[in-house]
Amino acid sequence: MPSQKAQKIDFNAEYPCPCRRRGRLQPIVLTEALGCNLCQRIFVVEEEGRSVEELSTTYPYKRRWFWTGHRWLAIQAGVGYDYFRLLFGIFMLLALISLILALHSSNLIFMIFFGLVISMMLVLIFGLAYRP
């Protein structure tokens, strides 16, 4: 099985395009960037020459890849933490509302139902925030 560790990018070597097209990356003269000969995208070499980042104004998050020696692997964008904070805030608001409703109710089934709903919401929050 090939290694999953990032290898240093050599500007004298030829690499396939990380956008899953049949293009080849070629060095752009006088820069630390690579350009695809087919899709015309430009990739800047970063992190001590171990990853490339696509220069694009149409994609809202930075797309980055690192070279394993055989293929490009995508580096996940760090948006999970923002989702986690938003979903956790919603969870806390709903938990507070259901706690107030449960305390004013003497029905045990009602309290168990809201406890289960809140538990399922917590699992959903962590599932959405930390999905691969």
Side-chain angles (χ1 to χ4, degrees):
M1 180 172 180
S3 172
Q4 298 295 317
K5 293 183 180 179
Q7 293 187 358
K8 193 163 179 97
I9 296 169
D10 181 16
F11 282 98
N12 296 324
E14 190 172 292
Y15 299 99
C17 182
C19 295
R20 305 229 185 256
R21 295 198 171 96
R22 295 187 183 264
R24 306 298 290 170
L25 293 183
Q26 300 170 340
I28 298 174
V29 180
L30 300 177
T31 65
E32 289 190 2
L34 301 168
C36 179
N37 64 351
L38 187 62
C39 67
Q40 303 299 317
R41 295 183 186 194
I42 298 173
F43 302 90
V44 178
V45 178
E46 292 187 350
E47 289 186 19
E48 301 173 1
R50 298 194 185 280
S51 70
V52 293
E53 178 182 323
E54 179 184 2
L55 291 180
S56 174
T57 58
T58 59
Y59 194 71
Y61 304 108
K62 295 180 178 182
R63 292 175 28 175
R64 295 174 44 203
W65 297 268
F66 68 89
W67 180 248
T68 64
H70 302 285
R71 66 184 182 122
W72 294 103
L73 286 180
I75 299 172
Q76 298 294 331
V79 297
Y81 186 70
D82 294 334
Y83 284 130
F84 174 74
R85 289 191 305 178
L86 174 69
L87 291 174
F88 189 72
I90 292 170
F91 166 75
M92 292 304 288
L93 179 66
L94 291 173
L96 181 65
I97 291 170
S98 63
L99 180 65
I100 291 170
L101 289 174
L103 289 175
H104 289 294
S105 173
S106 61
N107 190 352
L108 182 63
I109 294 174
F110 184 73
M111 294 170 72
I112 291 173
F113 173 74
F114 274 110
L116 289 174
V117 167
I118 291 189
S119 299
M120 289 185 334
M121 288 175 46
L122 185 59
V123 169
L124 179 67
I125 287 171
F126 283 108
L128 288 174
Y130 293 108
R131 68 176 179 228

